[in-house]
Amino acid sequence: MQLMLDRFYAFLEGPLFKKSRVVLLLLLVPLLASFWFPLWRITMTAPQYPTGLTLDIYSYKVEGGHEGKDVAEINILNHYIGMAHIDRQSLSDLDWMPFALGVLFLLALRTAAIGNVRALVDLSVLTSYVLGFALFRYVYKMYTIGHDLSPDAPMKVAPFMPVIIGKKQMANFDTEAWPQAGAVLIGVFALGVVGTLLWHLVAGRRQATRAARPTGPAPSGAQPAH
């Protein structure tokens, strides 16, 4: 058991394969590009809004469709049912996202340049945590918005869970929410990092197995030493 642990720790301190470093450098491109695209889009359509109202959520801002006018229109509708005003301040949970993605970018760059297997493990764990926490906070925030309704609202509605992904009927509105290019690009980065780690583990194990094999058969006339 101790021998296995020693080998595992030695593997963690080992250098990354050149291919792993190249892949990590390439994965920086989609992570950086995600800042220019929305992560999520919410669309609302109704007879009085045939072209729909859209709300794009970026990692650092909230932007409405029709040159930003949809945000004001959505907030007017929300006021009637007692929902909180939607703007960048109300979605302050996004404040940490650019910082977290920046940290992942720098860690990935460092791992690709001078990191070892341990650094790749740390990057994979941190990436999984950041994305998991971001999704949890988004779902929780949407739940809060749909349940913390003002008792003084002109129109009384029961607390509800806004759509997270997919389609949902709310009063006379058809609402949709889908991940956008920003979320896809971040997902490519995350899957690429974890995939690189898994590939490195498998390749490292195969390399260690080949190194442990005998180099060749013993000479036929060789006699055991006394």
Side-chain angles (χ1 to χ4, degrees):
M1 183 64 180
Q2 185 60 44
L3 180 60
M4 292 178 60
L5 288 175
D6 291 341
R7 289 178 177 176
F8 176 71
Y9 291 139
F11 174 71
L12 289 180
E13 299 302 330
L16 293 178
F17 298 138
K18 184 178 180 180
K19 290 183 179 179
S20 298
R21 299 185 187 277
V22 173
V23 170
L24 288 176
L25 288 175
L26 293 176
L27 289 174
L28 294 176
V29 176
L31 181 62
L32 183 62
S34 68
F35 283 91
W36 281 270
F37 298 94
L39 302 176
W40 227 264
R41 171 172 293 173
I42 300 173
T43 305
M44 302 170 59
T45 57
Q48 64 269 41
Y49 297 104
T51 59
L53 302 172
T54 61
L55 188 68
D56 287 335
I57 302 174
Y58 291 74
S59 61
Y60 59 95
K61 67 176 181 177
V62 176
E63 187 173 86
H66 297 94
E67 298 180 349
K69 297 178 182 178
D70 285 359
V71 174
E73 199 67 33
I74 290 172
N75 281 324
I76 292 174
L77 296 171
N78 289 345
H79 170 73
Y80 282 107
I81 63 174
M83 286 183 65
H85 193 80
I86 295 179
D87 54 18
R88 186 65 183 82
Q89 185 175 359
S90 66
L91 295 177
S92 58
D93 282 11
L94 296 176
D95 290 343
W96 66 275
M97 279 291 291
F99 173 77
L101 295 179
V103 169
L104 292 180
F105 182 92
L106 293 176
L107 287 179
L109 180 61
R110 181 185 183 278
T111 302
I114 60 174
N116 54 11
V117 179
R118 184 186 297 275
L120 181 58
V121 172
D122 293 340
L123 177 63
S124 300
V125 172
L126 185 60
T127 299
S128 302
Y129 171 77
V130 167
L131 299 191
F133 181 77
L135 181 59
F136 167 78
R137 290 298 300 176
Y138 175 68
V139 174
Y140 175 75
K141 190 66 177 182
M142 298 302 290
Y143 174 89
T144 302
I145 289 175
H147 282 75
D148 290 349
L149 303 178
S150 173
D152 301 325
M155 185 181 299
K156 306 298 182 183
V157 298
F160 62 96
M161 180 64 189
V163 61
I164 300 299
I165 184 169
K167 301 180 179 180
K168 189 174 185 178
Q169 181 76 27
M170 296 172 58
N172 65 328
F173 281 88
D174 292 320
T175 61
E176 296 184 39
W178 299 102
Q180 297 299 299
V184 173
L185 290 169
I186 294 176
V188 169
F189 169 80
L191 291 176
V193 169
V194 175
T196 301
L197 174 62
L198 295 177
W199 173 81
H200 200 92
L201 292 174
V202 172
R205 183 178 180 85
R206 290 176 178 174
Q207 188 180 69
T209 300
R210 288 195 300 267
R213 290 175 181 170
T215 56
S220 57
Q223 296 295 327
H226 295 286

